[in-house]
Amino acid sequence: MLNLRVLTRIDFRVIVIILLLNMASIMTISAFSPDFLTSGEEMPLVNAAVKNQLQWFLLSWGIFFLAASLNYSTLREWAWIVYVLSLLGLIGLFF
């Protein structure tokens, strides 16, 4: 189901744009963190909020490359299972 050759067809402009957005959000979070605003000391390079954001970035990059490497023609075989699981999830949200 996973095909690593597909990863060579990823548009690298997308990766650059996502990396720039990641860096902008890290800079924003580190500039407005409570540690920086309340203390008169110099802010540490990586605080708790930045560490948390970096963990989410790593998780999202993993999901991005997983989704990019999926073979969608074989995904059609699993479509009914995904559909049933989606319906069960929606029913679970109702209750």
Side-chain angles (χ1 to χ4, degrees), residues 60-77:
S60 64
W61 277 106
I63 292 172
F64 170 74
F65 285 117
L66 178 72
S69 66
L70 285 177
N71 186 358
Y72 292 106
S73 62
T74 57
L75 191 61
R76 280 187 271 154
E77 299 170 4

Side-chain angles (χ1 to χ4, degrees), residues 4-49:
L4 297 179
R5 287 183 289 163
V6 176
L7 293 177
T8 59
R9 291 185 282 180
I10 293 176
D11 187 8
F12 288 105
R13 291 178 292 183
V14 172
I15 293 177
V16 170
I17 290 170
I18 293 172
L19 281 174
L20 289 173
L21 288 171
N22 287 347
M23 288 189 309
S25 67
I26 290 292
M27 290 171 35
T28 304
I29 288 172
S30 64
F32 292 106
S33 69
D35 298 336
F36 179 69
L37 295 175
T38 58
S39 68
E41 302 173 4
E42 188 173 327
M43 185 182 71
L45 183 61
V46 178
N47 58 16

